[in-house]
Amino acid sequence: MKIGLSTLLFGGLDRDIAIHEASNAGYDGLELCSIPGMVEHFHPNMCDCIYEGIKMTLEKSGLLLESVGCSGAGPGTERFEGLMEAAADLGAKYFTVSTGGEADDEDAWATMMATMRSAIPVCERTGVKLSVMPHVRASVYSIASARRFMEEIDSEWLGLNLDNTHLERVGDCPVDAVKELREWIFTGRIRDFRSNDLGIGLTENQVPGKGQANVKGYWEALREYTDLEIVMVEIVGRRGLARSAIADIITETISVLKSYG
């Protein structure tokens, strides 16, 4: 299983720096993020030459573009269709997002399901699949709610973006999640965390082995129970984190993950 890197950590630094640092650290792939206020490494409605330039830069760097990360711009928002079209122009297979909504609220669930179903025609038109992360506080946040979502949505265009830390923070076992949800897993995210609540904790503690998560067990479960080509490191950074500090974090992270075999 190959290892990729989300550009979420590179808030405040430009796209080419993110691509260079990911390649230099030995990553195999990338998720490009466009999240206003956090990190914007591409935009909807850019000219074709810019998308082609990004693709050429990625190709030269040896990085596979797995997905685009667009938290807060999912179905029902004004940026969604433009970002989906951009994802297609970039050659990304997946668009990653959470469902939004509110945990354990049936009215919110009904609204969320209608909104997610509205994405299916957009997926069919662009050829980009929606990979939904079970996310703390959202309508889909746990193993049970993820299973319910997939059974009710029943579409080849929507699947799961599994993140071990979101599941563990709500009290679910990520290893069990891989086993129980494997038929629906489109993409996987991996990191550590240290927190006494639903928060993720400090950036530095998201490096595997520096938090409280069973990162190794989750990694091994992904290898054993899924056919994922690549799993993405998705570390939440502080905007303005120095380039050298980011380089240290991503280098240490990939070193630990590779040590797992």
Side-chain angles (χ1 to χ4, degrees):
M1 191 164 59
K2 296 178 180 179
I3 305 170
L5 181 67
S6 170
T7 66
L8 183 62
L9 182 58
F10 291 84
L13 297 175
D14 69 38
R15 177 181 61 243
D16 286 347
I17 288 175
I19 292 172
H20 173 80
E21 293 295 346
S23 178
N24 191 56
Y27 287 84
D28 302 298
L30 208 69
E31 175 181 69
L32 278 178
C33 294
S34 183
I35 306 171
M38 294 184 68
V39 56
E40 292 185 81
H41 285 147
F42 73 98
H43 301 275
N45 306 314
M46 297 194 300
C47 71
D48 291 344
C49 63
I50 295 179
Y51 294 128
E52 287 301 317
I54 295 172
K55 290 165 70 174
M56 288 180 62
T57 301
L58 287 167
E59 185 176 351
K60 289 178 181 178
S61 71
L63 295 172
L64 167 72
L65 182 64
E66 179 226 40
S67 55
V68 296
C70 304
S71 179
T77 66
E78 63 179 22
R79 298 180 77 233
F80 175 64
E81 290 198 34
L83 286 169
M84 285 284 282
E85 290 164 359
D89 289 337
L90 287 166
K93 188 174 181 180
Y94 300 107
F95 183 109
T96 64
V97 71
S98 73
T99 60
E102 187 174 342
D104 302 318
D105 183 308
E106 286 299 315
D107 290 336
W109 182 273
T111 299
M112 178 276 295
M113 289 299 299
T115 301
M116 285 292 162
R117 288 192 180 99
S118 75
I120 295 173
V122 183
C123 293
E124 293 172 337
R125 176 168 58 83
T126 60
V128 178
K129 294 183 177 182
L130 211 61
S131 191
V132 176
M133 179 184 288
H135 192 291
V136 295
R137 302 184 180 91
S139 288
V140 175
Y141 70 96
S142 61
I143 294 173
S145 58
R147 174 177 288 278
R148 178 186 176 187
F149 173 73
M150 291 310 308
E151 289 175 346
E152 290 186 12
I153 203 73
D154 191 27
S155 170
E156 63 179 328
W157 292 100
L158 278 79
L160 298 175
N161 180 32
L162 219 58
D163 181 310
N164 61 309
T165 67
H166 279 277
L167 291 163
E168 196 160 337
R169 281 145 63 195
V170 299
D172 279 352
C173 173
V175 173
D176 290 344
V178 173
K179 295 177 183 178
E180 294 184 33
L181 302 172
R182 59 184 180 271
E183 66 182 286
W184 298 299
I185 297 173
F186 278 177
T187 56
R189 299 296 178 264
I190 192 167
R191 60 184 165 188
D192 210 331
F193 80 103
R194 185 173 295 281
S195 174
N196 293 321
D197 53 29
L198 294 181
I200 189 65
L202 297 174
T203 301
E204 294 78 4
N205 290 337
Q206 294 171 53
V207 175
K210 292 193 171 180
Q212 64 201 61
N214 178 16
V215 182
K216 187 173 187 290
Y218 174 67
W219 169 268
E220 291 173 344
L222 288 174
R223 285 173 59 96
E224 181 175 357
Y225 295 104
T226 77
D227 58 0
L228 290 180
E229 178 184 0
I230 191 167
V231 63
M232 286 282 159
V233 171
E234 184 181 275
I235 293 178
V236 180
R238 302 186 300 274
R239 187 172 176 84
L241 194 63
R243 179 175 178 175
S244 59
I246 293 173
D248 288 344
I249 288 169
I250 65 174
T251 299
E252 184 177 3
T253 295
I254 195 170
S255 177
V256 174
L257 291 177
K258 285 185 173 181
S259 76
Y260 295 158

